[in-house]
Amino acid sequence: VTALIIALNSILIGVEVDITARGYAIGDALPILGMMCTVYFALEVVFRLWAFKCEFFTDKANRGWNFFDASLVLLSVVDIVMQTQLQEGENAGSVFFAAIKTLKMFRILRLFRVFRFSRQLSNLALMIAESTNALLWAIVMLMLIIYIFSILITTSCSDFVKLNVDIDEPDWFSKVQQDDSETVRE
């Protein structure tokens, strides 16, 4: 059930971002549905706190996820409070409004909780995370190859220009094109 609520909440965030980006008014349905999702997540954290008590913070296996969940719920509650304050009189161009938008973007991080419910997704995420080291070294190798070929091409082009073109002439670049085409014909 929680995975479905997370998926629903993520879809709601995407729809809200799309509507806002197009310049339309959001309406009342999306904020109410988002608030319902936040209430569900808050109740889930409260019930887990009540059930596990101190283990909620000390259990090594779930401590990271528990802090993650509690942080996201706290951010969502702060987002709702800030939206309420905004509706009571703040203008849309203020720093306050920018803070609300930033908090809304953190809600999408809730998608990572789905990893907790699927062993395959968790394994895939771990494989991707572990392969980033190899990816960074592959990027370094690719940059070295590009650098080597850029040195070779620059050297070849500058040698060609030095041998075949007098760069002191005002229209020397047009002669490079002419010389190049004559060299290709031979």
Side-chain angles (χ1 to χ4, degrees), residues 160-184:
F160 175 81
V161 169
K162 286 179 188 174
L163 292 174
N164 297 315
V165 178
D166 182 17
I167 58 172
D168 292 331
E169 291 184 31
D171 60 342
W172 68 271
F173 190 75
S174 63
K175 296 210 185 232
V176 170
Q177 292 173 345
Q178 290 171 359
D179 286 344
D180 185 38
S181 60
E182 290 173 9
T183 306
V184 171

Side-chain angles (χ1 to χ4, degrees), residues 63-79:
R63 179 178 43 205
W65 285 114
N66 290 340
F67 278 116
F68 183 70
D69 291 345
S71 301
L72 287 177
V73 167
L74 182 64
L75 283 173
S76 296
V77 170
V78 169
D79 178 39

Side-chain angles (χ1 to χ4, degrees), residues 1-104:
V1 173
T2 301
L4 291 174
I5 300 293
I6 291 170
L8 174 68
N9 188 42
S10 300
I11 291 169
L12 289 172
I13 292 169
V15 169
E16 184 178 334
V17 167
D18 183 56
I19 289 172
T20 304
R22 293 173 188 252
Y24 300 124
I26 292 175
D28 293 333
L30 283 176
I32 290 172
L33 289 172
M35 210 175 296
M36 289 171 59
C37 290
T38 299
V39 167
Y40 174 83
F41 296 132
L43 287 175
E44 179 195 13
V45 169
V46 167
F47 288 145
R48 283 192 294 147
L49 268 168
W50 179 68
F52 296 115
K53 297 181 182 34
C54 287
E55 280 186 46
F56 185 83
F57 299 107
T58 59
D59 180 29
K60 289 184 180 180
N62 294 317
R63 179 178 43 205
W65 285 114
N66 290 340
F67 278 116
F68 183 70
D69 291 345
S71 301
L72 287 177
V73 167
L74 182 64
L75 283 173
S76 296
V77 170
V78 169
D79 178 39
I80 290 171
V81 169
M82 290 177 79
Q83 281 180 339
T84 305
Q85 292 295 321
L86 179 68
Q87 291 172 354
E88 290 178 0
E90 288 287 327
N91 61 2
S94 68
V95 175
F96 193 69
F97 187 71
I100 289 174
K101 284 188 173 188
T102 304
L103 285 177
K104 281 186 179 197

Side-chain angles (χ1 to χ4, degrees), residues 84-124:
T84 305
Q85 292 295 321
L86 179 68
Q87 291 172 354
E88 290 178 0
E90 288 287 327
N91 61 2
S94 68
V95 175
F96 193 69
F97 187 71
I100 289 174
K101 284 188 173 188
T102 304
L103 285 177
K104 281 186 179 197
M105 291 305 109
F106 279 117
R107 292 185 316 182
I108 200 71
L109 293 175
R110 193 170 276 128
L111 269 175
F112 289 117
R113 284 186 60 202
V114 174
F115 294 154
R116 182 183 210 176
F117 304 113
S118 172
R119 181 53 125 192
Q120 290 86 4
L121 274 177
S122 295
N123 289 339
L124 185 62

